Amino acid sequence: MGLQTMSSNPQGDGKSFLKWAGGKTRYADQLAAIAPASYGRYFEPFMGSAALFFELGPSKASLSDANLELVICFQQVAENPDKVMGLLDGMPNNREFYNEERAKEVEGLSAPERAARVIYLNKTGFRGLWRVNRKGGFNVPYGAYDRPYYNRSTFLSASSALREVEIQHRDFEAALKEAQAGDWVYLDPPYIPLSAFSDFKRYTPNQFGEQDQHRLAAAMSDASKRGVHVTMTNSDTPLAREIFSDFHVARMATRRDINLQSQSRGSWDLVFTSYPCSIPGSAKLPPPPKQSNPDEALTLFSAPQEVVSEPKPSEVRAWARGVGLDVPARGRLGVEIMSAWRRANLEGGTSS
């Protein structure tokens, strides 16, 4: 197997056709800069928008994800780009059609129709989130964004880059087991929550919890012992540093649009690697401070939060219905709805 380098096989224009919650489009160049000097095959088991794949353009690659709809979407963009774009052209951007598309049973759709549905919901849903309930039903409200579903040049370029790539529906453990010595695996799992209100684990019906983070660490260690280059990004929390303590770690400056934080606030991701690396502009990682209250552990490194006064339940209900959330007519509002209101309020998105 021939070795690849950062510039060995540039394909496409380096852009994904999706905007994925938690994706690495903004930071793909930083992550590419810490790639191993050379590697065999590139693996990305938590595919998402595959931002780093598109940045690198490797000739030998394996993309995979536990989200079947996302996998079908990527496969169809590779195989039938014109068909998918044609279907998107016939999909109006309005709340009524969005709710109809959101409620569809995907088993009755063709593969190109399922792919177009993923892109449509991604481009028109609130904040570009992909969130499902335990039954697999997509439950993100309409976002009312006036933007195109795709850029033809980017779409066709992505199709070309994906055409010779293996795209599979599978668990991350299978990908790590398949990787051989000299290969490079980049992992971008659902992050360990920064606070009790964080809830971005539900990209599939089965939530990605703490036990899955431990399972990931074990699989990474096994691969590393076989000579596989491993890189993983996660939240800047004491728990992440504890679970992945066997790896080199550095901090990477980021911005949390998905959490509706102000652009003026700083935030950090942790980058774990099986090999020594240095991220340009990264901060020296301090030792975790001691905490007398273990319940505070997950919020040690979260960005400073503005004080938000508690609203009247009627105000939250009115706002939630306005953005398409399902809320009870009376009774206690759920934690998820209150959390969404707080995040939107920080950005001024709850005013009438």
Side-chain angles (χ1 to χ4, degrees):
M1 177 183 292
L3 295 178
Q4 304 184 72
T5 64
M6 283 177 56
S7 59
S8 60
N9 281 290
Q11 300 181 37
D13 62 4
K15 297 179 182 178
S16 178
F17 59 94
L18 291 178
K19 181 181 179 182
W20 204 248
K24 295 298 181 287
T25 298
R26 285 197 184 105
Y27 318 111
D29 57 342
Q30 296 182 59
L31 293 168
I34 63 169
S38 62
Y39 53 93
R41 198 175 179 198
Y42 173 76
F43 288 78
E44 198 168 332
F46 295 95
M47 187 167 60
S49 66
L52 185 53
F53 162 79
F54 286 114
E55 175 73 20
L56 293 165
S59 60
K60 302 181 183 72
S62 173
L63 303 177
S64 55
D65 204 278
N67 183 335
L68 177 59
E69 294 308 297
L70 181 64
V71 170
I72 291 174
C73 179
F74 268 71
Q75 290 171 340
Q76 289 302 305
V77 168
E79 299 169 11
N80 297 303
D82 290 311
K83 176 68 173 177
V84 175
M85 285 188 289
L87 289 168
L88 285 167
D89 290 340
M91 303 173 81
N93 185 356
N94 60 57
R95 190 183 302 274
E96 182 180 4
F97 185 84
Y98 177 90
N99 289 336
E100 291 175 0
E101 200 67 24
R102 183 179 69 170
K104 281 185 177 178
E105 297 290 338
V106 295
E107 291 77 10
L109 303 177
S110 67
E113 288 172 336
R114 290 170 79 163
R117 177 178 178 269
V118 169
I119 297 170
Y120 174 81
L121 294 176
N122 174 255
K123 298 293 185 176
T124 58
F126 182 68
R127 307 297 293 186
L129 282 169
W130 187 274
R131 186 184 63 190
V132 299
N133 58 31
R134 293 188 183 276
K135 295 182 179 180
F138 187 78
N139 61 2
V140 175
Y142 181 59
Y145 303 120
D146 184 17
R147 60 190 178 200
Y149 306 148
Y150 66 90
N151 173 283
R152 182 174 178 82
S153 175
T154 298
F155 205 88
L156 293 177
S157 182
S159 176
S160 177
L162 291 168
R163 205 155 291 152
E164 302 302 322
V165 171
E166 180 182 65
I167 306 171
Q168 296 188 72
H169 175 232
R170 61 179 178 178
D171 184 75
F172 65 84
E173 279 188 308
L176 281 163
K177 288 179 180 178
E178 182 182 320
Q180 300 178 6
D183 290 343
W184 181 32
V185 183
Y186 169 62
L187 304 120
D188 188 31
Y191 279 15
I192 292 171
L194 288 169
S195 72
F197 293 114
S198 298
D199 184 25
F200 294 105
K201 300 178 292 185
R202 293 182 292 132
Y203 296 111
T204 65
N206 299 316
Q207 294 194 22
F208 198 93
E210 184 177 334
Q211 64 180 9
D212 295 296
Q213 301 284 352
H214 284 281
R215 190 165 60 93
L216 174 58
M220 289 168 58
S221 293
D222 289 343
S224 179
K225 291 173 184 175
R226 301 196 312 270
V228 177
H229 305 298
V230 178
T231 303
M232 191 271 293
T233 42
N234 215 309
S235 58
D236 188 352
T237 61
L239 183 58
R241 291 195 283 189
E242 175 187 334
I243 293 175
F244 300 97
S245 60
D246 290 341
F247 298 89
H248 300 278
V249 60
R251 296 175 87 199
M252 180 176 70
T254 61
R255 205 183 85 190
R256 291 268 181 269
D257 275 3
I258 198 61
N259 286 337
L260 299 179
Q261 291 182 352
S262 167
Q263 294 184 20
S264 64
R265 298 199 193 111
S267 61
W268 300 86
D269 280 359
L270 296 183
V271 181
F272 297 90
T273 60
S274 60
Y275 52 92
C277 74
S278 177
I279 300 174
S282 63
K284 183 179 180 181
L285 191 64
K290 295 180 180 179
Q291 276 294 316
S292 58
N293 182 0
D295 292 335
E296 296 176 1
L298 289 182
T299 61
L300 288 175
F301 291 92
S302 58
Q305 297 294 311
E306 295 177 13
V307 177
V308 180
S309 60
E310 287 299 304
K312 296 179 180 178
S314 59
E315 294 176 353
V316 178
R317 284 191 175 88
W319 169 81
R321 293 189 183 109
V323 297
L325 292 174
D326 294 327
V327 292
R330 59 180 61 86
R332 185 176 180 180
L333 292 167
V335 171
E336 186 171 316
I337 291 174
M338 291 302 299
S339 176
W341 183 91
R342 290 187 182 97
R343 292 194 299 268
N345 190 71
L346 289 177
E347 199 176 71
T350 59
S351 58
S352 57

